[in-house]
Amino acid sequence: MVSLWEHWRRGLGVRHRGPRFDTGAGTSYNVQLTKRHPTVSLTEQGADSGSMRVNLFWRMRTSDLGQKRRRGSLRHPLEMLKPQQVQAHTQGVVNVDLDLACLYELEDGSKGVCQPLGGFYGDLHGPPYVKLTGDDRFGSPSGETLYVNLDHKDAIKRLLFFVYIYDNTPAFDRTSAVVTLVPSNGPQIEIALDEAAPQARSCAVLLMEKSKDELIVHREVRYVYGFQAELDRLYGWGLQWGRGYKTSSL
């Protein structure tokens, strides 16, 4: 004879077999793509239309600040009593300039890139239906943002969102960065760049592409030691690359 407790425990186990995705604490509208759960269907989430915002935000790792504090506390013990601050990028903290960019391929065969280098800011209402709003060189709270017009998703074959370092300063091991997709409907989708890659210069973060009748987002988080040309080679884009320079932000 099975007790009421056993019935309840088994029922609870059926109802809580584990989430399909890792969700942010305190909200059911935040999906975190991880190694364990690397893929989400925007179509199933009802998030494959309207304007989608893709945001990059970074800040200095707290561990680096903590090490600096411990060294300083030997000379100034009262410094240990002050609350620890996590600062966004400034020249006084660390020379970091992370850029958000996107390689695109459309159904008509056209290919290209949206990035601050060279001033390739794109177009939201015409091809490639991707628009970079500007270049954040100071790690402001708003970070860097790309917009994707998913009302024209039928014209888009695939989009590769990536982050790269403009100067020669190692940054991926000094910063904590997150790329967030904010669709007009459905949950926000977060991808953390939290793996150790101190010498990497670029990181392919996520790939958005069609699979039959669905728009799928894949977590990549693939660090490379080269720049755009290396990412192009890995993902078979086939573009010609030359040395680029930043222009003024829009």
Side-chain angles (χ1 to χ4, degrees), residues 1 16 19-20 24-25 38 43 62 64 77 83 86 89 97 107 122 129 144 148 155 162 176-177 201 213 239:
M1 181 175 180
H16 296 277
R20 184 176 180 182
T43 304
T62 57
D64 291 344
V86 179
H89 157 61
D97 186 8
E107 289 290 354
Y129 307 107
E144 292 194 355
V148 181
F162 64 97
S176 178
R201 291 292 176 264
D213 295 328
L239 300 178

Side-chain angles (χ1 to χ4, degrees), residues 102 104 112-134 146-147 250:
C102 177
Y104 64 82
V113 65
C114 294
Q115 64 178 20
L117 281 175
F120 298 108
Y121 288 94
D123 191 330
L124 189 62
H125 302 292
Y129 307 107
V130 179
K131 175 73 172 180
L132 179 66
T133 59
L146 278 159
Y147 286 91
L250 293 183

Side-chain angles (χ1 to χ4, degrees), residues 17-233:
R17 291 180 177 175
R20 184 176 180 182
F21 303 104
D22 296 331
T23 57
T27 175
S28 60
Y29 297 95
N30 185 359
V31 171
Q32 296 178 1
L33 295 187
T34 63
K35 288 183 177 180
R36 183 180 178 185
H37 301 294
T39 305
V40 63
S41 168
L42 296 180
T43 304
E44 288 185 359
Q45 301 292 331
D48 61 348
S49 63
S51 179
M52 169 176 284
R53 177 163 53 93
V54 183
N55 177 259
L56 165 68
F57 171 75
W58 75 90
R59 61 186 182 183
M60 188 174 180
R61 290 185 187 273
T62 57
S63 59
D64 291 344
L65 292 172
Q67 290 173 1
K68 292 180 179 179
R69 172 184 289 183
R70 286 192 294 272
R71 289 194 296 266
S73 65
L74 296 177
R75 297 181 180 179
H76 305 284
L78 292 179
E79 291 293 321
M80 293 294 294
L81 301 178
K82 294 183 179 181
Q84 183 171 338
Q85 296 181 354
V86 179
Q87 302 179 35
H89 157 61
T90 64
Q91 293 294 331
V93 177
V94 61
N95 185 22
V96 175
D97 186 8
L98 299 183
D99 284 334
L100 177 65
C102 177
L103 281 166
Y104 64 82
E105 181 178 2
L106 304 183
E107 289 290 354
D108 64 4
S110 58
K111 302 176 183 179
V113 65
C114 294
Q115 64 178 20
L117 281 175
F120 298 108
Y121 288 94
D123 191 330
L124 189 62
H125 302 292
Y129 307 107
V130 179
K131 175 73 172 180
L132 179 66
T133 59
D135 176 23
D136 170 29
R137 305 187 189 186
F138 303 102
S140 67
S142 61
E144 292 194 355
T145 301
L146 278 159
Y147 286 91
V148 181
N149 189 345
L150 293 181
D151 287 336
H152 292 272
K153 61 180 179 292
D154 291 340
I156 299 172
K157 184 175 182 178
R158 58 174 178 161
L159 303 175
L160 178 68
F161 297 93
F162 64 97
V163 175
Y164 65 95
I165 304 170
Y166 175 64
D167 59 20
N168 292 322
T169 302
F172 287 117
D173 65 332
R174 298 289 303 277
T175 60
S176 178
V178 176
V179 173
T180 305
L181 277 66
V182 185
S184 57
N185 298 291
Q188 296 186 15
I189 301 169
E190 289 187 356
I191 303 96
L193 279 62
D194 53 5
E195 299 178 15
Q199 300 302 318
R201 291 292 176 264
S202 305
C203 179
V205 181
L206 66 94
L207 181 67
M208 183 185 301
E209 61 183 352
K210 292 178 182 175
S211 177
K212 297 181 180 180
D213 295 328
E214 293 188 67
L215 193 59
I216 305 295
V217 172
H218 302 277
R219 175 189 182 273
E220 298 292 317
V221 190
R222 189 174 183 181
Y223 294 92
V224 300
Y225 298 100
F227 290 94
Q228 289 90 329
E230 180 67 12
L231 290 172
D232 184 312
R233 184 186 66 81

